[in-house]
């Protein structure tokens, strides 16, 4: 059970009556309230060891639900591990400066597209210069929108192989040094210039509200060597299918306040933050992505549409292709633990129908 999910479901009706929430946030709250309840239906299991029965309700699989995401995160992690190349990897982080965060909150869909597009373009443009790499990159970006106290802090993490395709895709060019990809200063400058131009075209009214100092100050781009890339994948997997906070960080929560723990980024000390219920709900909901927006995006020869170029990379690097055999459909998978005898021998023997759907539990604000 998730105490956070239960709290969100209990607080949602009152919060929606007094605060404006978007359709995406409304759907997220409704999904969290229905998750693993009779309204979702379920499955009936029978233990082959002790012959007793058990049942489980279906999950909502919403990416903002505290209960869900474990299986999908594990599957994503395994897929990314299978795609790792025998080269050094780098984590490149692009952070949106504070003056643009209000625009991000007001126009999240547009700003997320700009953040992904301009950060990837900045990396590619600097990497294409012969003095840095002179090659085309392949990279995977993961959007992260929250800070340690659940405040809005939009940034994108890219995992980038150390090298790229050069000479029209006929050769692989390694980085000049195994633990060095490229300097961060020109990448940050290119990112700042690209965001300024793109924002002026996409949202001219919002661009006019940004102070001139934002376009003159240095922007933050961090480039770190992460070895074989496995540690970076494990780190990024936490953001693929999970939301801003989990039950592990919650200390206390009731109808009035929520207290949770966090690690201070400056000192490294563990601290606690206490918010009133409405502010905690606001911070939680501001990280619900708009419908249709992808948190993970691929660029260059890592894009799914560029699979032929990806095959060229694998050939140039002599990557061993591992084909995982498919399991026969008639093979019974024993992986669920029986709550009665603790044996991993539960097998699905039936389904539970969904109960009649109740009226929408989240009323619209007047």
């Amino acid at each position: 059970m998730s105490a956070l999910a239960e709290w969100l479901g209990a607080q949602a009706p009152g919060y929606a009556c007094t605060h404006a929430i978007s359709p995406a946030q409304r759907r997220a709250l409704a999904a969290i309230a229905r998750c693993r309840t009779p309204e979702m239906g379920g499955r009936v299991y029978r233990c082959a060891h002790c012959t007793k029965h058990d049942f489980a309700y279906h999950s909502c699989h919403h990416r903002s639900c505290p209960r869900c995401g474990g299986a999908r995160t594990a599957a994503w992690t395994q897929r990314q591990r299978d795609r790792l190349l025998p080269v050094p990897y780098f984590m490149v982080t692009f952070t949106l400066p504070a003056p643009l965060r209000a625009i991000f909150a007001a126009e999240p869909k547009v700003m997320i597209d700009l953040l992904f597009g301009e950060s990837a373009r900045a990396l590619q443009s600097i990497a294409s210069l012969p003095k840095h790499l002179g090659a085309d990159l392949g990279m995977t970006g993961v959007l992260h929108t929250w800070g340690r106290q659940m405040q809005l802090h939009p940034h994108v993490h890219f995992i980038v192989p150390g090298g790229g395709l050069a000479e029209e895709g006929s050769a692989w060019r390694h980085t000049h040094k195994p633990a060095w990809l490229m300097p961060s200063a020109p990448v940050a400058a290119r990112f700042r210039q690209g965001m300024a131009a793109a924002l002026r075209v996409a949202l001219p009214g919002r661009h006019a509200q940004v102070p001139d100092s934002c376009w003159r100050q240095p922007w933050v781009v961090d480039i770190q060597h992460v070895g074989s890339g496995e540690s970076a994948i494990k780190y990024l997997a936490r953001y693929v299918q999970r939301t801003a906070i989990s039950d592990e960080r919650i200390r206390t929560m009731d109808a009035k306040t929520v207290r949770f723990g966090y690690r201070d980024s400056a000192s490294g000390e563990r601290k606690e933050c206490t918010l009133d219920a409405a502010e905690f709900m606001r911070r939680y909901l501001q990280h619900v992505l708009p419908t249709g927006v992808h948190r993970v995006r691929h660029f260059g020869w890592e894009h799914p549409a560029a699979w032929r170029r990806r095959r060229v990379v694998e050939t140039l690097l002599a990557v061993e292709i591992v084909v995982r055999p498919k399991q026969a459909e008639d093979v019974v998978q024993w992986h669920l633990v029986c709550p009665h005898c603790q044996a991993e021998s539960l097998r699905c023997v039936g389904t539970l129908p969904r109960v009649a759907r109740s009226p929408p539990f989240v009323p619209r604000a007047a």
Side-chain angles (χ1 to χ4, degrees), residues 284-357:
Y284 189 91
L285 291 179
Q286 73 180 342
H287 303 296
V288 175
L289 297 184
T291 303
V293 173
H294 297 283
R295 192 187 299 276
V296 181
R297 304 187 188 186
H298 307 275
F299 299 87
W301 42 262
E302 286 286 17
H303 193 280
W307 62 270
R308 289 186 178 85
R309 300 183 71 205
R310 166 74 190 199
R311 292 293 181 267
V312 171
V313 171
E314 294 172 347
T315 301
L316 293 173
L317 294 176
V319 176
E320 182 179 356
I321 306 299
V322 178
V323 179
R324 297 182 182 276
K326 293 184 178 181
Q327 297 176 340
E329 294 182 358
D330 57 346
V331 176
V332 177
Q333 299 298 313
W334 307 106
H335 62 281
L336 297 177
V337 177
C338 175
H340 306 288
C341 66
Q342 306 304 314
E344 294 185 1
S345 55
L346 282 183
R347 180 180 181 183
C348 181
V349 295
T351 60
L352 295 172
R354 294 188 178 189
V355 299
R357 185 172 181 178

Side-chain angles (χ1 to χ4, degrees), residues 223-240:
I223 303 177
Q224 294 186 10
H225 176 236
V226 290
S228 65
E230 287 207 23
S231 60
I233 289 174
K234 184 178 179 181
Y235 174 79
L236 294 180
R238 296 183 294 177
Y239 308 125
V240 172

Side-chain angles (χ1 to χ4, degrees), residues 37 78 323 343 360:
T37 66
Q78 186 58 55
V323 179

Side-chain angles (χ1 to χ4, degrees), residues 186-240:
V187 179
R190 176 63 181 82
F191 175 49
R192 181 186 60 202
Q193 295 166 4
M195 281 295 297
L199 184 61
R200 185 183 299 112
V201 174
L203 300 170
R206 299 288 187 182
H207 180 273
Q209 300 172 2
V210 181
D212 292 339
S213 59
C214 177
W215 309 118
R216 294 195 299 265
Q217 67 185 16
W219 285 24
V220 177
V221 173
D222 181 63
I223 303 177
Q224 294 186 10
H225 176 236
V226 290
S228 65
E230 287 207 23
S231 60
I233 289 174
K234 184 178 179 181
Y235 174 79
L236 294 180
R238 296 183 294 177
Y239 308 125
V240 172

Side-chain angles (χ1 to χ4, degrees), residues 2 17 43 85 113 198 206 219 246 263 265:
S2 170
C17 286
R43 292 187 176 187
L85 299 170
D113 288 342
R206 299 288 187 182
W219 285 24
S246 60
R263 184 183 293 275
S265 57

